[in-house]
Amino acid sequence: MTQRSGLALAVLALAVEEPMHPYRMQQLIRERGKDRVVNVGQRSQLYKTIDRLERDGLLAEHAVEREATRPERTVYTATDAGRRAAIEWTVDMLVAPRPEFGEFAAALAYLPLVTVTEALAALRARLAERRAARDHRRDELADLRDDVPRLHLVEEEYLLAQLETDVAFVEGLVADLTSGALTWDRDELIQHRD
C-alpha cells in the first residue's frame, strides 16, 4: 500500500473531485491555500507522488489531452481504491498523529551550543516573525470568514492556533532567559565534555 502523506491525500482528493492533470492539481492546491498545509513547492515531488499512486492502483489515467500549442497532458482520476484510501487516510490523520521532527524543536534540544545572548537574539527575531505571521493570519481569516464556509477554513484556524502557541511559548522562553530563570554557560558546558 502507498505510504500516506499530505501531498498524496491532496492529489487523491482532487482526483476524486474531478479528473485532472498534475499542473491543474498544483494550481488548485495553491489557489485554495492548501499549499500552507501541503508542500507543492517542487513539481517533481508532485509527479513522483502521482507515479506512486498510479503504480499502487489508487490513481488511473483518465485521458491524454493536447491543446494546439501545449504538450500532451495526462489527466488522472481516482480509482475506487483511491477513493477509499483518501477517506481512510483522512480519518487516520485525524485520529493518530505521526511524530513531527521540526527544526525548531531540534534547535531547542541543542540550545547550549550557543550563548544565552545568541539564543535571546535568535528567539527575539523568531518572536517578531511569528507575531507578524500570526497577525497576518488573523487578518486573513477575519476577511475570509464572511465569504468562505468554516469547513474550508478549519486548517487555517489550526495554523493560527499553532502560531498563537508558538508565540506564547517563545515569549515565555525569552522572559525566562531575560530574567535569568533559564541560563547556562556555553564555555563551561563545552569544557565538561572534553
Side-chain angles (χ1 to χ4, degrees), residues 47-101:
Y47 282 100
K48 286 177 188 176
T49 300
I50 289 169
D51 288 344
R52 205 173 65 239
L53 292 169
E54 185 179 26
R55 179 196 69 216
D56 294 346
L58 303 179
L59 278 184
E61 185 177 303
H62 177 74
V64 176
E65 297 176 345
R66 182 175 182 110
E67 295 177 19
T69 59
R70 302 221 180 241
E72 286 185 349
R73 294 183 187 182
T74 304
V75 175
Y76 295 93
T77 190
T79 63
D80 289 340
R83 286 179 186 83
R84 286 190 305 273
I87 293 166
E88 181 182 313
W89 291 353
T90 300
V91 171
D92 286 350
M93 289 176 178
L94 290 169
V95 171
R98 289 185 183 170
E100 295 179 13
F101 301 98

Side-chain angles (χ1 to χ4, degrees), residues 127-159:
L127 187 55
E129 186 281 328
R130 298 283 74 193
R131 283 176 173 158
R134 176 202 59 196
D135 295 345
H136 178 75
R137 177 88 18 101
R138 276 184 186 159
D139 293 345
E140 272 187 335
L141 210 47
D143 290 343
L144 291 171
R145 281 200 169 110
D146 291 336
D147 301 319
V148 180
R150 182 167 181 231
L151 175 63
H152 301 293
L153 297 175
V154 292
E155 75 275 9
E156 292 295 328
E157 292 173 356
Y158 177 71
L159 293 173

Side-chain angles (χ1 to χ4, degrees), residues 165-185:
T165 299
D166 196 19
V167 166
F169 176 81
V170 176
E171 284 174 340
L173 194 54
V174 165
D176 286 348
L177 289 168
T178 302
S179 72
L182 175 63
T183 192
W184 63 92
D185 182 327

